[in-house]
Amino acid sequence: MNGPGHNSVSVEELLQLIERWEHLNIEKRDIADCQKEVMAEAKGRGYDTKVIRKLIAERKRDAGDMAEEEAVLELYREAIRMQTGPRNQPTNGDT
Amino acid sequence: MNGPGHNSVSVEELLQLIERWEHLNIEKRDIADCQKEVMAEAKGRGYDTKVIRKLIAERKRDAGDMAEEEAVLELYREAIRMQTGPRNQPTNGDT
Amino acid sequence: MNGPGHNSVSVEELLQLIERWEHLNIEKRDIADCQKEVMAEAKGRGYDTKVIRKLIAERKRDAGDMAEEEAVLELYREAIRMQTGPRNQPTNGDT
Amino acid sequence: MNGPGHNSVSVEELLQLIERWEHLNIEKRDIADCQKEVMAEAKGRGYDTKVIRKLIAERKRDAGDMAEEEAVLELYREAIRMQTGPRNQPTNGDT
DNA sequence: GGAAGGAGCAGACGCC
DNA sequence: GGCGTCTGCTCCTTCC
């Protein structure tokens, strides 16, 4: 009842999408395993993994804060532009 | 002041471990982005991503269940053997 | 200095919330202890607690699967309706 | 082939044990729901639940630390006794 | 030491 | 397009 080009194609492409997603997930798992290995190595060398995780979290926050600071600065710049721009580009007299 | 055997070495290797971990994390993020792209493509082709996620979860469960079922069956067999085996095996004389 | 309306009120209600939560947690611990007792009793009567845990897990899965299956079926039905309904219902002229 | 008092009894008591355990589990779930309500109420009153969780974790740690401190103190006392006791109870001259 | 359960967190979806 | 909510995942702790 269904000729070619009907939803059998959809099923095929749906499966391909799903399998692509699943394959990517496998890669993620592999990388996570590598991370566990790194932690294991750290522990093997006598480091406290809990402390290391704290350090990583801190670094992450620091990186994030830098970005956030930038965003805030940009926000302020924009706010300033909205005040100075519309009003007159004002005190600048060298036009 | 920083000859061999100082703790600057420890700091260095600690940093290397952390950076290796962070780099792996970046790779994970990239792959996660790819997954988002896949989902976006699916959505673009008219699929319901919620359903797709359900399907993926189902497939995952199915895969897991196969292995688990075997384990459970083995466990039960063992449990039954522990009950029937010792009790009936040797002293059973009504053959 | 600490009349009504100060933030000491907030501290008080915050503490109450926290303590309510903690008290509930204690109750949970108590119940968990009861569960341990049940298991200990089972073991004392000669049952294999490992098998019992598997049985419980199975019963849990069975119960969960019933509900979930319904949800998934409903989801799929809805997805199918979204595909077949709009596409074929009105403008379909090739009959 | 099995008269009364055989393993049909075991099945019954096994089921009772399992159901007792499951009932306790339900109670735990209920309490967990109450905890969620507490958190929801806290959020409704404008508190940051994340901070609250941190506070609870701290209090937990503090409580644990008190006990741990006691344990450490006891350990030290024991160590001191092992040093002073065997050697001579000696230099104590007020006998 | 290994597994099961719970807690915490990040990502994804829906609303505004 | 950003925010709030919510589910799912991972990690950690506890128990066996």
Side-chain angles (χ1 to χ4, degrees), chain C residues 29-49:
Chain C
R29 292 291 291 248
D30 290 343
I31 293 174
D33 290 342
C34 290
Q35 286 181 315
K36 295 193 72 170
E37 284 177 34
V38 171
M39 280 296 177
E41 186 181 337
K43 174 172 277 186
R45 297 192 182 190
Y47 296 106
D48 182 346
T49 58

Side-chain angles (χ1 to χ4, degrees), chain C residues 74-89:
Chain C
E74 191 53 36
L75 186 66
Y76 289 176
R77 286 193 203 102
E78 188 182 350
I80 291 170
R81 280 196 52 188
M82 286 182 64
Q83 290 226 342
T84 60
R87 198 189 283 167
N88 301 333
Q89 193 180 53

